Amino acid sequence: MIADIVTLFPSMFFGPLDGGVVGRARAKGHLAVRLHDLRRWGEGRHRVVDDAPYGGGGGMILQPGPLFEAVESIREQYPVEHDRVVLLSPQGRKLDHQGVKRLAGFERLILLCGRYEGVDERVREDLADEELSIGDLVLTGGELPAMMVVDAVARFLPGVLGCPGAAESESFADGLLESPYYTRPPEFRGRRVPEVLLSGDHGAIARWRADRAREVTRNKRPDLLKRDGSGTRQGRAKER
Ligand code: 4GX
């Protein structure tokens, strides 16, 4: 997977994608992150990329020219069969487990990080293949959401996680939260690890975990259970 990131702040990406699983995925060649400074396609001596909105109103809007040229330049420089231009924005479809899995299937993602009040509508309509949000909150730019996409997608790339299928074995794969985990010591400050986990009875442990997962989900995220294979997007995704 190649992640081409178009941003006014390339240096924000230095560090967060260097360590851990993502850093290793890059070192092993499963993932390439390429940063593109939008100013490179800016206009004039000051490399301007934004302007005031027609019709008035506060704030600035990213102009279409630099963003279109950035994508064209990336595609010319490195053509692939299946790529996807993703605009990060609070107006986008909310990203979830299934969405991440789907994005991981592309050979390349071109992630457009907006700033200010947003982007010219023609970017949304004619350049981006899709618009994604990481949640119903407003950030100062699309950079952190782009990092979240790269981080979450990396887990699904073949060879990145130790064992095949590990990406699916954690929370949300089955639409439930994880049951509690304990590690050594067996007693900590008067609080004991549930005996069943120390019993060696793998059948009983599996049943306990399934029960706790349902309980945790019911208490913390009842919305995840309110799908019986119909009605919600996740419910329908499960049907496939
Ligand atoms: N999930 N923001 C983007 C500027 C902007 C607005 C519209 C393009 C179109 C956000 C989110 C998010 C704030 C990033 C506004 N760019 N992005 N920015 N939530 O809040 O993705």
Side-chain angles (χ1 to χ4, degrees):
M1 153 83 61
I2 303 167
D4 280 295
I5 300 172
V6 180
T7 170
L8 282 169
F9 299 96
S11 67
M12 278 184 74
F13 294 83
F14 302 167
L17 303 177
D18 292 347
V21 171
V22 176
R24 194 155 7 97
R26 295 171 68 187
K28 288 201 286 183
H30 300 300
L31 170 70
V33 177
R34 312 194 323 153
L35 297 167
H36 308 276
D37 187 342
L38 183 61
R39 288 222 183 271
R40 185 171 146 205
W41 296 279
E43 197 182 289
R45 197 164 59 84
H46 294 290
R47 307 256 144 229
V48 171
V49 296
D50 59 343
D51 206 339
Y54 279 120
M60 298 294 270
I61 302 296
L62 291 179
Q63 295 176 281
L67 285 164
F68 274 76
E69 284 172 33
V71 170
E72 283 155 10
S73 156
I74 289 163
R75 284 181 165 156
E76 264 167 44
Q77 196 183 90
Y78 203 119
V80 300
E81 288 274 325
H82 300 288
D83 73 0
R84 196 84 174 153
V85 178
V86 177
L87 176 65
L88 287 314
S89 139
Q91 289 186 35
R93 189 166 44 76
K94 228 180 288 173
L95 189 61
D96 63 9
H97 180 81
Q98 293 297 335
V100 169
K101 217 167 118 174
R102 178 179 55 80
L103 291 179
F106 289 96
E107 209 175 331
R108 170 172 66 203
L109 300 177
I110 301 180
L111 302 171
L112 306 181
C113 307
R115 281 264 154 184
Y116 319 121
E117 307 321 304
V119 298
D120 184 286
E121 190 65 14
R122 291 163 289 192
V123 170
R124 183 173 275 126
E125 289 185 347
D126 306 332
L127 184 62
D129 295 308
E130 60 185 289
E131 193 173 4
L132 287 180
S133 167
I134 57 89
D136 290 338
L137 71 176
V138 180
L139 300 166
T140 59
E143 284 77 9
L144 288 167
M147 289 183 222
M148 291 176 58
V149 169
V150 172
D151 184 285
V153 163
R155 299 181 61 253
F156 282 97
L157 303 177
V160 167
L161 295 186
C163 70
E168 281 290 7
S169 78
E170 290 175 38
S171 288
F172 296 110
D174 56 6
L176 293 178
L177 301 179
E178 293 278 89
S179 73
Y181 289 116
Y182 295 86
T183 184
R184 287 189 297 175
E187 182 171 329
F188 177 73
R189 301 193 180 182
R191 301 265 287 120
R192 281 204 56 81
V193 171
E195 286 306 323
V196 61
L197 295 178
L198 310 174
S199 69
D201 181 343
H202 298 293
I205 291 171
R207 281 191 300 279
W208 182 88
R209 287 192 167 146
D211 291 345
R212 292 293 80 70
R214 226 165 299 117
E215 180 183 62
V216 169
T217 307
R218 180 163 22 84
N219 289 332
K220 298 182 177 174
R221 292 292 308 278
D223 57 299
L224 294 177
L225 292 171
K226 287 196 187 96
R227 53 177 182 72
D228 48 6
S230 70
T232 70
R233 205 156 59 75
Q234 228 180 357
R236 283 192 297 277
K238 215 175 147 69
E239 298 241 301
R240 285 181 214 123

